[in-house]
Amino acid sequence: MNQAARRIGRTLALVLPVVLVLSGTLAVARVPWAAPDADSQVLTASAETASTRAQARAPHEILRDRLLAELQEKDPGSALTHLQEETSRRPSLARHCVSIARALGRAAVAKYGDTRAQSFARPVCDTSFAYGVAQEAG
């Protein structure tokens, strides 16, 4: 029960300010700012610029995307090494280590095939990379 309430609270804390900003901005967008006799110019709001904070990405998402790009450019071993370094340097990322390692495992299978991808496995985040490889291969 406590987990569900916390999840609902977090969702509302994220969504509610965005909805309020957008609804207020859109309400103001239809107000004519020029004199009534002048051309009826209307301010138009852009939802893209209304709230830049709503578009901010979480650090673990940025890390995952960076490591997936590194895997494509170099190899999974390099990406796994950097994952281990980042989780050691920033302990707040450790809780996302498993999901990032699994994503790297799935991407490695897509690039190298399941047998070759498994050769890059390391004990980073337990065996999550290997699990991601097995999950994608199976």
Side-chain angles (χ1 to χ4, degrees):
M1 175 68 182
N2 192 15
Q3 285 281 8
R6 184 173 288 143
R7 189 177 302 128
I8 291 170
R10 286 182 183 165
T11 302
L12 284 175
L14 177 68
V15 174
L16 191 58
V18 173
V19 170
L20 291 173
V21 167
L22 288 176
S23 63
T25 303
L26 294 174
V28 172
R30 297 305 305 171
V31 175
W33 296 99
D37 296 339
D39 291 338
S40 180
Q41 293 185 358
V42 177
L43 174 66
T44 57
S46 170
E48 296 168 355
T49 59
S51 177
T52 55
R53 181 153 169 77
Q55 294 176 0
R57 297 177 57 219
H60 70 276
E61 293 172 338
I62 294 168
L63 176 62
R64 180 194 62 225
D65 292 348
R66 185 171 54 98
L67 293 174
L68 286 170
E70 181 177 347
L71 183 143
Q72 296 301 320
E73 293 172 10
K74 296 179 182 177
D75 62 65
S78 175
L80 287 169
T81 298
H82 288 126
L83 174 60
Q84 183 66 46
E85 290 170 356
E86 281 296 313
T87 54
S88 295
R89 191 173 67 83
R90 296 174 62 190
S92 63
L93 294 171
R95 65 183 171 146
H96 301 287
C97 187
V98 170
S99 64
I100 294 171
R102 284 183 186 166
L104 291 172
R106 289 189 296 269
V109 169
K111 183 174 182 181
Y112 296 102
D114 56 347
T115 304
R116 176 106 158 79
Q118 189 61 39
S119 70
F120 292 100
R122 298 202 181 144
V124 176
C125 310
D126 297 324
T127 57
S128 300
F129 177 82
Y131 180 75
V133 170
Q135 191 178 31
E136 190 67 21

